[in-house]
Amino acid sequence: MQQEQKQPVLISGSTSGIGLAIAHRMAGAGHPVMLHGLMEPAQGAQLQRQFREKYAVECGFSAANIASEEGCAQLVAETREAIGQPSILVNNAGVQFTSQAQDFPTEQWHRIIAINLSAAFFLSRELLPGMRENQWGRIINIASVHGLVASEQKAAYCAAKHGLVGLTKVLALENADFGITANAICPGWVETPLIQPQIEAIAERESLDLEAARIRLIGAKQPLTRATAPEAIGELALYLCGDFANTITGASLPVDGGWSAQ
Ligand SMILES: NC(=O)c1ccc[n+]([C@@H]2O[C@H](COP(=O)([O-])OP(=O)(O)OC[C@H]3O[C@@H](n4cnc5c(N)ncnc54)[C@H](O)[C@@H]3O)[C@@H](O)[C@H]2O)c1
């Protein structure tokens, strides 16, 4: 199947951050996109309108809660209704909770595994038959550097992201004969609103200016002390959908300023 046909894309968790940047890049390249995330319907409709006007592509929106198998099925049904059968699935939705393992609350463990790992499995399982029928498909899992290495306080997140890297490899092996690739992108620090309060806290605690505090925060993990732009993840996701990427499969691609090279 030729990529010029601009296959429909479902991006979970695309109402903010990295997922939204991926949605912009995909729509900018002419792909019909399904936006998704925990957003009020009126706001979702407004985002949808913005995409349609800016990119002149088909665009749907779903607020399905994908913490359950039923929620994932609902998202797929709403996607088919809005933009047709997606041949590109970006499993991006994710949540975080930090605590020492010995104190980790059960409900937070289940929530993180459900959204960061199980949803990627359920959505992939729903969409793989259609991809096989088309003899073309792309599954892109937004994992994390925490799918490759660990940090303290992140038992559930690291378990989920390492699991997502493993799932990616299995999907790549099982679907290699069907024109389907499956890859994981593993970002380190990404320039999202979450970073700023952490920088400000370090600046205050250590009497540093904001730039020095930023370097302190990022440099604690990354040799290259610059956070990745969300748009860079969008660009890589788009590249993985292109013809030149058709032999990249089962890979876990760090975009982490050297974090995982240590
Ligand atoms: N921000 C970073 O520095 C960073 C680094 C590495 C990996 N990641 C990963 O990238 C992905 C996106 O992160 P982000 O920082 O852009 O997050 P974000 O908080 O900006 O966006 C998360 C998205 O997921 C959606 N979501 C959360 N729970 C949901 C649920 N139960 N049902 C439906 N949608 C739900 C939200 O509505 C939102 O659209 C995550 O998987 C995260 O683990 C982020």
Side-chain angles (χ1 to χ4, degrees):
M1 177 169 293
Q2 284 303 303
Q3 184 53 19
E4 288 76 54
Q5 285 176 289
K6 299 302 178 194
Q7 300 299 313
V9 190
L10 165 58
I11 306 144
S12 74
S14 44
T15 54
S16 77
I18 295 171
L20 183 58
I22 295 171
H24 275 292
R25 194 62 195 96
M26 293 285 182
H31 290 275
V33 293
M34 186 68 181
L35 301 169
H36 162 255
L38 300 179
M39 185 179 252
E40 291 302 318
Q43 275 180 292
Q46 196 185 353
L47 190 60
Q48 221 179 326
R49 268 197 308 280
Q50 283 171 7
F51 265 72
R52 286 194 183 127
E53 283 166 18
K54 185 166 184 191
Y55 301 113
V57 294
E58 293 232 28
C59 178
F61 168 73
S62 167
N65 185 336
I66 58 169
S68 69
E69 184 176 355
E70 295 72 29
C72 292
Q74 182 191 335
L75 173 56
V76 169
E78 291 179 4
T79 303
R80 288 188 177 124
E81 176 91 22
I83 61 164
Q85 175 71 25
S87 304
I88 302 171
L89 168 64
V90 183
N91 286 306
N92 167 78
V95 289
Q96 176 65 283
F97 182 87
T98 54
S99 163
Q100 290 265 325
Q102 64 175 13
D103 302 320
F104 217 93
T106 304
E107 68 276 13
Q108 290 296 346
W109 171 270
H110 287 308
R111 174 173 163 265
I112 289 175
I113 299 295
I115 298 166
N116 296 24
L117 177 58
S118 303
F121 167 68
F122 292 131
L123 293 172
S124 302
R125 194 178 64 181
E126 285 272 350
L127 293 179
L128 274 164
M131 292 183 191
R132 282 190 176 200
E133 211 168 289
N134 282 345
Q135 291 284 305
W136 194 92
R138 294 284 180 267
I139 296 176
I140 299 168
N141 293 325
I142 307 304
S144 163
V145 67
H146 288 111
L148 306 171
V149 298
S151 292
E152 291 175 23
Q153 306 270 336
K154 295 186 177 170
Y157 189 80
C158 285
K161 296 297 189 181
H162 276 71
L164 193 54
V165 165
L167 173 65
T168 305
K169 293 176 184 175
V170 173
L171 297 179
L173 298 183
E174 290 182 354
N175 295 287
D177 288 342
F178 298 91
I180 299 167
T181 68
N183 292 290
I185 297 176
C186 300
W189 285 108
V190 178
E191 196 67 55
T192 60
L194 284 184
I195 284 192
Q196 199 53 30
Q198 297 180 62
I199 292 171
E200 285 164 15
I202 291 175
E204 184 160 338
R205 197 172 60 238
E206 300 185 24
S207 304
L208 297 170
D209 65 35
L210 286 176
E211 192 45 34
R214 164 181 287 274
I215 290 170
R216 178 70 54 89
L217 176 75
I218 297 173
K221 293 289 189 180
Q222 294 190 188
L224 199 161
T225 57
R226 177 186 299 157
T228 298
E231 293 75 18
I233 308 294
E235 197 64 40
L236 179 54
L238 182 66
Y239 177 78
L240 289 172
C241 297
D243 289 341
F244 282 125
N246 64 8
T247 58
I248 303 177
T249 196
S252 304
L253 304 164
V255 186
D256 66 358
W259 181 333
S260 61
Q262 298 167 102

